[in-house]
Structures are given as C-alpha cells and as structure tokens.
Amino acid sequence: MKAVILSLLVVLVAPVLQVAVVNGSALPGGGPDVVLIGVVALAPLLRPRPEARGLPERGAAGGGAEAFLGFAAGLAADIAPPADHTIGRLALVLCLAGWACTRLTSGATAGRRAVVATAVALGAALAGGVLAALLDGTPWGTALAPAALAWTAGLAALVTAALALLPRRRSFGRVRRPRDRPRDPYAPGRRLA
C-alpha cells in the first residue's frame, strides 16, 4: 500500500517539482531528472516478492505495475507546462525504464539495487536525450549534458539505496504464525467439535 501511495506521489508531484524547483534552480550543468529518479527508485518496490507468489527467485515474471508507473509518470511529465516537446517521448523512455527495473529482484541488496538504478537511469537519460535531439531539434550539447546525466545517475543510486535500506513489511500489520507450529485448538473464536 505504501508503494502505491509513493507511486501516486511520483506521478503527481515529481513533474511539478521538476518544473517548479529543479528547472528554475541554477545547478551547474543542468539539474537531475526527478521523475526518472522516482520511477527507477520505486519500481523494485512495486514488484511482489517471488516467494509470496510461489515463484522461484530468478524466473519470476513481472513488469506490469513498474512499466505502468513509468508510463504514467512520463505522460504527466510530458504534459506538464511548458510542454514544448513531443508528447509521448518521456512516457516511452520512462515506461522502458520501469520495465528494465523488473529485472531487479526485490530481495537484492542495497548495493546491487543502487548499481542497477544507476545503469537504468543513465541509459534512460541517454535515450531521452537522443530522442529529444532527433525529434525536437534540441542541440546535442543540451540534450546530452554530462553534468545533468551525472546528477540523475548519482541521485538515482542514492535514493534507490536509501529506499532499499528501509524495512519492508510482508503482512501489512497482521502477525503470521509459522507454518511448522500447529494450530491452537483452543484459540478464541474457534469452534470445538
């Protein structure tokens, strides 16, 4: 439930934060892509744990919720004013970034998550820059600014590692009994024959 609320915040707040704060600030070399950082950091949290679904750790399929998060956040960033670029470009790039994060298992260490988040954020930022240069006529130096790529990749690694270190509940408040312990026949509410 917390991941769904955080996903809504990424979709609704991150584009506003990008336009109002990051684009207006005078960071050296350009600012980070806050929407991309949010998608890359939250995508592994949306994937259910493989052992909860009865699937093996490596062969678990997925990608629906993460790709949808990327698409929704990208579309929100596409239509956020000033929408002076091709609509759908960011939605495509962030959808692919969310899908790429499905390759990361939810049981991975914080270091592995940070490495994968850095690689996915860097690849998505490069793909977004190339599409901006080809589709919108943005100058190559502006579309692929090395400082902006470094800001995005570095912050994606930090935010992903921080979220990976947060404890994650499995049962949403209910205490689960171990499977090896027998049921209590005298538990409250249980009918005795």
Side-chain angles (χ1 to χ4, degrees):
M1 184 69 176
K2 290 180 185 179
V4 172
I5 292 171
L6 286 173
S7 299
L8 286 174
L9 285 176
V10 166
V11 170
L12 298 176
V13 175
V16 174
L17 184 69
Q18 178 74 39
V19 171
V21 176
V22 175
N23 291 350
S25 65
L27 292 173
D33 189 351
V34 177
V35 183
L36 175 61
I37 293 169
V39 168
V40 169
L42 283 179
L45 298 179
L46 291 177
R47 184 176 183 182
R49 296 180 185 260
E51 64 269 8
R53 295 185 300 176
L55 295 173
E57 183 73 22
R58 281 285 172 191
E66 300 89 350
F68 183 73
L69 167 68
F71 177 76
L75 191 60
D78 274 334
I79 61 174
D84 58 351
H85 59 273
T86 305
I87 292 183
R89 175 175 55 90
L90 292 175
L92 172 68
V93 169
L94 293 178
C95 179
L96 292 175
W99 175 82
C101 286
T102 62
R103 303 295 126 212
L104 177 65
T105 60
S106 60
T109 63
R112 181 168 180 233
R113 283 188 186 191
V115 168
V116 170
T118 303
V120 169
L122 190 59
L126 286 172
V130 168
L131 284 177
L134 293 177
L135 295 177
D136 300 330
T138 306
W140 286 94
T142 305
L144 298 173
L149 293 174
W151 277 108
T152 302
L155 286 175
L158 287 174
V159 172
T160 303
L163 285 178
L165 292 175
L166 291 177
R168 218 173 138 188
R169 294 166 124 195
R170 291 180 188 227
S171 60
F172 298 106
R174 291 177 285 165
V175 178
R176 297 181 66 166
R177 65 177 176 79
R179 297 224 182 250
D180 58 341
R181 193 174 72 185
R183 293 186 117 168
D184 183 12
Y186 301 107
R190 185 165 170 136
R191 290 178 54 188
L192 297 176

